[in-house]
Amino acid sequence: PDVVKPSPCARLECWLNPFGVAANKAIETIGLNLQKQYERWQPRARYKQSLDPTVEDVKKLCTSLRRNAKEERLLFHYNGHGVPKPTSNGEIWVFNKTYTQYIPLSLYDLQNWIGSPSIFVWECNAAGLIVDQFSHFEKVRDDDI
């Protein structure tokens, strides 16, 4: 919402034009296409999608996945197209429970919920803000331990 796209610009999400199908179908199809791409690289891995999650959904999913993965690596792929840009305070955006507004989700909290080892993919505008803050919070977490 806070990014003005130039014309021409890329419009496809996982090889789908999201404006060419119904909104609820677009998000499901994008999620499935993305999962299929990962499955080509790692067919034996298990994948769990969380489409348009709330903060509570993200926390519940991440802590559950970490508990079940034990010492295995987790992959977290954030597709943040269509939501506001990440903040300079190290926050990404998710929905509130009624899906009427965006709520910031702290990268610090996300790191704590997912733990390590883990891989993060930040697919959104201004992803560099996330990387910088993510590295900062990782150092803070290491100092706290």
Side-chain angles (χ1 to χ4, degrees), residues 27-99:
I27 191 167
E28 292 173 10
T29 304
I30 291 167
L32 286 172
N33 287 353
L34 183 60
Q35 181 173 329
K36 287 177 186 175
Q37 290 177 17
Y38 277 115
E39 287 172 345
R40 277 189 292 240
W41 297 324
Q42 188 57 267
R44 293 181 308 187
R46 291 177 294 175
Y47 299 91
K48 176 71 177 153
Q49 296 181 33
S50 185
L51 308 174
D52 283 344
T54 64
V55 172
E56 294 80 16
D57 293 339
V58 174
K59 180 179 182 179
K60 184 178 173 183
L61 177 63
C62 291
T63 55
S64 171
L65 289 173
R66 174 47 59 205
R67 186 174 44 255
N68 292 327
K70 297 182 173 83
E71 299 300 317
E72 293 293 321
R73 185 175 296 115
L74 291 179
L75 168 70
F76 182 89
H77 185 120
Y78 175 73
N79 184 327
H81 299 291
V83 300
K85 290 190 295 189
T87 70
S88 57
N89 294 328
E91 298 161 320
I92 57 176
W93 297 94
V94 296
F95 282 105
N96 65 354
K97 290 181 182 179
T98 57
Y99 297 94

